[in-house]
Amino acid sequence: MLEYMLDEILSNPKEIPLKELTDYLNKWIDRSLHDFSIEAMETRHAYIKRIRDLDDEHLEPLAKRLDKQITAICSDRRMIYRMDWWKK
């Protein structure tokens, strides 16, 4: 449902309700925080690209928040890999 709403909002760049987009994106980010799947990662990158393509300074914090989530997930993956190595 969240992805559908985000796609709908981002599909109409001239009529983007900033508050609504922010709310939906923040909910999606919170729910996907621990999702390490390739699909979730691709969705994060797609949202960043779509947001940055709109070239709206009010939306940039949303793209930065997604960037931070990607960085945190990459760090978590490295930590998990190191922990698995340590157990052997």
Side-chain angles (χ1 to χ4, degrees):
M1 178 68 170
L2 283 173
E3 287 183 21
Y4 172 78
M5 293 304 295
L6 286 167
D7 284 338
E8 286 296 310
I9 292 169
L10 290 170
S11 295
N12 301 312
K14 294 180 183 175
E15 302 172 11
I16 289 184
L18 185 59
K19 170 91 171 90
E20 194 173 347
L21 175 61
T22 303
D23 289 345
Y24 281 118
L25 194 56
N26 283 331
K27 286 177 187 177
W28 186 87
I29 290 171
D30 291 341
R31 288 186 182 175
S32 68
L33 185 60
H34 300 290
D35 189 346
F36 297 135
S37 71
I38 292 172
E39 181 181 7
M41 191 62 73
E42 289 172 353
T43 302
R44 286 180 191 93
H45 285 290
Y47 285 152
I48 289 171
K49 182 178 179 345
R50 289 176 77 180
I51 290 168
R52 290 201 167 133
D53 285 349
L54 296 172
D55 199 30
D56 184 333
E57 64 190 38
H58 296 89
L59 298 177
E60 184 58 26
L62 297 174
K64 286 183 180 179
R65 185 162 183 224
L66 281 168
D67 269 337
K68 286 181 183 179
Q69 186 183 45
I70 290 169
T71 302
I73 286 172
C74 289
S75 295
D76 287 347
R77 281 187 176 166
R78 282 193 293 273
M79 185 175 69
I80 289 167
Y81 171 77
R82 288 179 184 146
M83 289 173 65
D84 286 344
W85 174 83
W86 181 258
K87 290 177 188 176
K88 293 180 183 178

